């Protein structure tokens, strides 16, 4: 029996014995490392600094997350205005005695009367949704189970919210939170009315003919429409349906005692591209899409004339359009990614015309907080050497004003002592792969430096500049070189870059990663015995496959929660959704791809 098949039964004696021995071995090795305690103290010291997310507004209140330093989870605060006294609304750290409850999503009603939040237990993907009143922080009786990978979206009347759930795995049973192996199919979209039992929730949509489909609903900012995205797998495609709330004679609640689902209208009914709503003016909708535009564009359509789509902001020749947010009535905050660095622009919603380019350092826009009615926006920014800056951008004046609203400072970290370079590494087939290289300033290129090489390369996910205490400690205290490889399979250059590292092209990811390691050796940063490769989830597969293909090239490999059994991953939990990136061993051709790099 292989290790992978043995671990499928996570409650077996053999599995428990295997895990115990692995833990015992790890503890033994770590105990022999003389620097372990010093590193732990240094990381703890640097982590112990306050940090805050951008504020956002609901009703007449502002909300934001704040962490005092060493709190396991950030705390949700609220205040009447930005200069007013802040008070705790929800502290996830107090929700369980052993600290195993984690806040994984939340949603505040438009009138700021209710907070709905999802809690997971013991690291599970399953969540239970609870609700509290915001004015007095009292828990409501509402409790929703069997929820996984779902947001909540309130109707503007505050009566309830949409959410997605799976059927209960076993009648009267408990969640498989401790094993996480049951396959998740037959997702359904529900509407929950406040003050009612989950058994009374209104089924809004299901599709038993397509059990692998998942559904997500959001209410438009004007409160008039429900937009439903339909997904199959993790590909950058979705169907798009809508329902006009005012067209429901008895409202959403009128469907409770019927066998009917909401009368969604099919705007896009095939998986030809991805569509994300940006704004609507009555029946005229603006979407971000990759339809005939692998680097994305903004388009507009009147749903009364669904055959006619027009470009608002065409696809850029080189840069990827990552997001667009409406603000100040008729303006757009548009974020581009250019060679893995973000550019922020202010454009006109109606015409797409460029109004201003907003000043940013080299780094990443981590968050944008604004609504269409707002005359200001809060913009989060990070880089390898900047922990966090929140800018307050005033859009009321002719020239937008960008001022620092909050800035995180890490005691003991002097950014002037470090350097970050971006290099472009030729891969096996000649493709130039971007890689960031962080180190102390003016290091000697003598091949002596221990090096951490991190990668992901999948599911259209981009590794943009970010700040990491752990990486700072490695550079500062152990003379590490830390590298982030932007290999194919990610979204750094759009959908074409993603597809070049997926399915039959997956080997490109491993070749790119190997080429980055060889570059670091040939340019005398390090040597093979001193390179540690690291990645999690899909990045764990990257590490596992690469160390198997080129064991001569690395001294250490850290595969964090990797997808390793490429022949059977689709049989468990939500694994079937990953076949859009990997393929499926049930198909002969795809079996031949997967057998070559699975770690069995």
């Amino acid at each position: 029996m292989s290790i992978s098949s043995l671990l499928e039964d996570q409650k077996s004696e053999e599995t428990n014995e295997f895990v115990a021995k692995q833990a015992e071995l790890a503890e033994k090795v770590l105990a022999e490392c003389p620097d372990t305690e010093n590193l732990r103290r240094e990381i703890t010291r640097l982590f112990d600094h306050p940090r805050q997310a951008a504020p956002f507004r609901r009703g007449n209140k502002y909300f934001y997350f704040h962490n005092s330093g060493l709190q396991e989870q950030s705390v949700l605060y609220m205040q009447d205005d930005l200069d007013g006294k802040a008070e705790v609304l929800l502290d996830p750290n107090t929700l369980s005695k052993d600290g195993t409850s984690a806040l994984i999503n939340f949603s505040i009603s438009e009138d700021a009367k209710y907070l709905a939040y999802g809690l997971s237990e013991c690291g599970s993907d399953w969540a239970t949704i609870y609700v509290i009143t915001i004015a007095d922080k009292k828990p409501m009786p509402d409790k929703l189970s069997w929820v996984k990978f779902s947001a909540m979206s309130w109707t503007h009347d505050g009566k309830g919210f949409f959410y997605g759930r799976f059927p209960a795995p076993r009648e009267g049973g408990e969640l498989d939170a401790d094993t996480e192996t049951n396959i998740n199919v037959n997702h359904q979209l529900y509407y929950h009315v406040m003050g009612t039992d989950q058994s009374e929730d209104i089924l809004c949509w299901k599709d038993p003919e397509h059990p692998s489909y998942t559904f997500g609903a959001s209410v438009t900012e004007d409160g008039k429409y429900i937009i439903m995205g339909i997904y199959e797998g993790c590909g950058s495609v979705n169907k798009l349906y809508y329902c006009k709330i005012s067209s429901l004679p008895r409202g959403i609640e009128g469907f409770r005692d019927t066998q009917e689902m909401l009368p969604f209208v099919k705007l896009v009914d095939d998986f030809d591209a991805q569509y994300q709503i940006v704004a609507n003016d009555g029946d005229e909708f603006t979407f971000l899409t990759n339809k005939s535009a692998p680097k994305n564009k903004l388009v507009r359509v009147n749903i009364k004339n669904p055959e006619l789509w027009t470009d608002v902001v065409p696809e850029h020749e080189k840069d990827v359009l990552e997001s667009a947010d409406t603000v100040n009535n008729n303006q757009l905050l548009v974020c581009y990614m250019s060679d893995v660095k973000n550019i922020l622009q202010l454009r006109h919603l109606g015409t797409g015309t460029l109004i201003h380019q907003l000043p940013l350092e080299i780094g990443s826009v981590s968050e944008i907080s604004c609504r269409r009615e707002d005359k200001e926006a809060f913009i989060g920014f990070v880089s390898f050497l900047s922990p966090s800056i929140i800018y307050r951008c005033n859009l009321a004046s002719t020239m937008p004003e960008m001022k620092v609203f909050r800035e995180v400072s890490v005691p003991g970290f002097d950014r002037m002592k470090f350097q970050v370079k971006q290099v472009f590494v030729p891969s096996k087939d000649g493709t130039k792969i971007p890689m960031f290289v962080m180190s102390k300033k003016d290091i000697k290129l003598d091949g002596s430096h221990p090096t951490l090489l991190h990668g992901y390369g999948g599911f259209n996910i981009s590794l943009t500049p970010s700040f990491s205490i752990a990486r700072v400690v490695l550079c500062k205290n152990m003379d590490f070189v830390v590298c982030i490889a932007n290999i194919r399979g990610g979204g750094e250059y759009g959908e074409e870059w993603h597809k070049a590292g997926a399915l039959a092209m997956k080997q490109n990811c491993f070749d790119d990663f190997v080429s980055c390691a060889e570059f670091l050796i040939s340019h005398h940063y390090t040597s093979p015995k001193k390179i540690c490769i690291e990645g999690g989830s899909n990045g764990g597969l990257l590490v596992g496959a690469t160390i198997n293909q080129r064991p001569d090239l690395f001294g250490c490999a850290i595969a964090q929660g990797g997808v390793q059994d490429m022949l059977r991953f689709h049989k468990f939990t939500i694994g079937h959704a990953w076949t859009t990136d990997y393929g499926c061993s049930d198909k002969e051709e795809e079996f031949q791809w997967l057998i070559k790099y699975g770690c069995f």
Side-chain angles (χ1 to χ4, degrees):
M1 179 183 290
S2 69
I3 289 294
S4 59
S5 60
L6 181 152
L7 292 176
E8 288 175 9
D9 181 2
Q10 296 188 35
K11 292 184 177 180
S12 72
E13 262 186 52
E14 292 88 349
T15 299
N16 289 330
E17 182 181 354
F18 174 81
V19 172
K21 286 183 177 179
Q22 293 294 309
E24 182 182 347
L25 176 61
E27 289 298 328
K28 181 180 178 181
V29 172
L30 291 173
E32 295 172 356
C33 176
D35 293 322
T36 300
E37 282 305 315
N38 289 335
L39 283 173
R40 182 178 286 114
R41 281 194 295 269
E42 179 69 352
I43 290 173
T44 302
R45 184 179 70 84
L46 290 177
F47 255 113
D48 193 7
H49 64 274
R51 45 201 179 273
Q52 180 176 319
F56 60 95
R57 189 170 56 83
R58 292 292 182 273
N60 59 356
K61 292 183 180 294
Y62 284 91
F63 302 85
Y64 64 91
F65 282 92
H66 180 271
N67 192 304
S68 62
L70 296 179
Q71 290 175 295
E72 292 289 340
Q73 300 181 68
S74 294
V75 178
L76 180 59
Y77 285 81
M78 63 179 178
Q79 54 191 153
D80 292 333
D81 57 70
L82 293 172
D83 298 318
K85 182 181 178 181
E87 59 179 305
V88 174
L89 174 58
L90 182 70
D91 183 353
N93 302 290
T94 65
L95 297 178
S96 63
K97 291 182 180 180
D98 58 1
T100 57
S101 293
L103 178 68
I104 60 174
N105 57 12
F106 74 98
S107 182
I108 294 173
S109 61
E110 289 296 311
D111 57 5
K113 183 178 180 180
Y114 296 114
L115 164 67
Y117 61 95
L119 287 186
S120 76
E121 302 295 335
C122 304
S124 172
D125 286 331
W126 288 109
T128 302
I129 297 175
Y130 301 91
V131 183
I132 62 172
T133 55
I134 290 177
D136 53 16
K137 306 170 195 170
K138 287 185 178 180
M140 298 292 288
D142 308 69
K143 178 181 178 183
L144 311 181
S145 302
W146 321 119
V147 181
K148 185 181 278 196
F149 312 125
S150 175
M152 297 87 81
S153 185
W154 292 85
T155 48
H156 283 211
D157 57 12
K159 289 183 177 180
F161 54 86
F162 295 95
Y163 73 102
R165 56 163 286 189
F166 289 97
R170 296 178 296 273
E171 185 66 31
E174 296 181 355
L175 293 172
D176 61 337
D178 55 343
T179 59
E180 294 288 348
T181 55
N182 293 346
I183 192 168
N184 303 139
V185 291
N186 296 310
H187 194 249
Q188 298 168 340
L189 180 68
Y190 279 90
Y191 181 76
H192 175 73
V193 178
M194 285 300 303
T196 64
D197 188 80
Q198 186 176 17
S199 62
E200 299 179 47
D201 285 356
I202 299 161
L203 176 62
C204 300
W205 197 260
K206 65 177 180 179
D207 191 346
E209 293 184 5
H210 299 94
S212 61
Y213 282 10
T214 57
F215 313 102
S218 62
V219 178
T220 54
E221 198 166 342
D222 63 4
K224 296 179 179 179
Y225 288 90
I226 309 158
I227 304 295
M228 180 172 65
I230 302 176
Y231 309 88
E232 184 176 34
C234 297
S236 301
V237 296
N238 62 277
K239 298 183 180 185
L240 197 74
Y241 298 177
Y242 69 87
C243 177
K244 192 169 186 178
I245 296 175
S246 62
S247 70
L248 308 176
R250 295 182 295 153
I252 300 171
E253 293 179 76
F255 288 80
R256 173 177 283 124
D257 298 321
T258 73
Q259 298 299 314
E260 300 176 20
M261 296 185 293
L262 296 191
F264 280 100
V265 179
K266 300 175 181 180
L267 183 62
V268 178
D269 197 29
D270 51 28
F271 292 113
D272 67 337
Q274 185 177 59
Y275 300 85
Q276 300 174 14
I277 185 168
V278 174
N280 75 294
D281 290 282
D283 296 330
E284 195 165 75
F285 283 74
T286 302
F287 294 101
L288 186 151
T289 183
N290 58 11
K291 173 74 170 177
S292 304
K295 294 181 180 64
N296 300 334
K297 63 181 179 180
L298 294 184
V299 296
R300 184 166 295 132
V301 63
N302 190 305
I303 57 176
K304 291 183 178 178
N305 187 15
E307 303 302 320
L308 183 61
W309 296 69
T310 58
D311 288 357
V312 180
V313 178
E315 179 186 26
H316 194 277
E317 179 182 351
K318 176 177 175 290
D319 300 338
V320 180
L321 176 57
E322 284 198 311
S323 67
D325 294 90
T326 51
V327 67
N328 198 24
N329 188 35
N330 61 355
Q331 293 179 340
L332 289 168
L333 270 176
V334 175
C335 185
Y336 281 95
M337 180 163 50
S338 178
D339 283 331
V340 207
K341 302 173 288 288
N342 282 144
I343 294 170
L344 201 58
Q345 297 176 346
L346 188 67
R347 290 180 175 266
H348 191 276
L349 171 61
T351 64
T353 307
L354 177 64
I355 302 172
H356 293 289
Q357 184 139 323
L358 302 180
L360 280 181
E361 296 179 35
I362 294 175
S364 305
V365 173
S366 57
E367 57 181 328
I368 296 175
S369 174
C370 64
R371 309 196 92 187
R372 186 166 182 173
E373 62 197 42
D374 295 339
K375 295 187 181 301
E376 65 180 1
F378 295 91
I379 299 161
F381 173 84
V382 296
S383 72
F384 291 109
L385 302 180
S386 295
S388 174
I389 301 174
I390 299 171
Y391 292 102
R392 187 177 185 177
C393 182
N394 178 15
L395 300 168
S397 59
T398 305
M399 180 67 68
E401 299 175 283
M402 290 269 286
K403 294 184 178 180
V404 175
F405 176 70
R406 297 281 187 272
E407 184 170 7
V408 169
S409 176
V410 179
F413 170 66
D414 182 358
R415 62 176 294 172
M416 301 306 296
K417 294 182 178 180
F418 300 88
Q419 62 185 9
V420 178
K421 299 178 181 178
Q422 187 182 36
V423 297
F424 292 84
V425 179
S427 189
K428 185 177 181 179
D429 62 0
T431 302
K432 295 294 180 67
I433 309 302
M435 178 170 66
F436 291 104
V437 182
M438 175 181 171
S439 67
K440 287 181 178 177
K441 278 188 176 178
D442 305 319
I443 63 169
K444 292 182 179 180
L445 298 181
D446 56 6
S448 66
H449 300 282
T451 297
L452 180 70
L453 176 60
H454 179 83
Y456 188 79
F459 298 95
N460 202 30
I461 294 172
S462 305
L463 297 183
T464 57
S466 62
F467 188 81
S468 166
I469 291 293
R471 293 171 188 167
V472 166
V473 169
L474 290 176
C475 293
K476 176 176 179 286
N477 298 87
M478 302 186 73
D479 290 329
F480 260 73
V481 174
V482 173
C483 307
I484 309 298
N486 299 111
I487 62 178
R488 283 173 284 187
E492 285 85 352
Y493 292 98
E495 185 60 14
E496 291 176 345
W497 191 257
H498 169 217
K499 289 181 176 178
L503 300 174
M505 309 299 289
K506 189 66 181 175
Q507 182 59 40
N508 283 337
C509 301
F510 315 135
D511 292 341
D512 294 352
F513 208 47
V514 165
S515 296
C516 288
E518 291 176 334
F519 173 92
L520 293 167
I521 295 167
S522 65
H523 285 71
H524 310 295
Y525 284 95
T526 190
S527 60
K529 290 184 178 180
K530 293 195 172 186
I531 298 182
C532 173
I533 51 175
E534 174 200 48
S537 191
N538 175 77
L541 164 63
L542 169 71
V543 168
T546 305
I547 195 70
N548 281 344
Q549 292 183 8
R550 288 297 306 273
D552 59 302
L553 201 56
F554 311 105
C556 178
I558 303 174
Q560 300 165 329
V563 184
Q564 307 293 4
D565 189 343
M566 301 311 297
L567 301 185
R568 292 177 58 78
F569 71 86
H570 61 289
K571 297 179 180 293
F572 307 98
T573 64
I574 201 67
H576 58 83
W578 309 337
T579 58
T580 52
D581 240 57
Y582 298 141
C584 179
S585 62
D586 292 343
K587 301 176 181 178
E588 173 61 27
E589 180 186 9
E590 297 174 11
F591 176 93
Q592 297 302 326
W593 309 338
L594 296 165
I595 193 69
K596 293 177 181 177
Y597 60 81
C599 308
F600 310 106

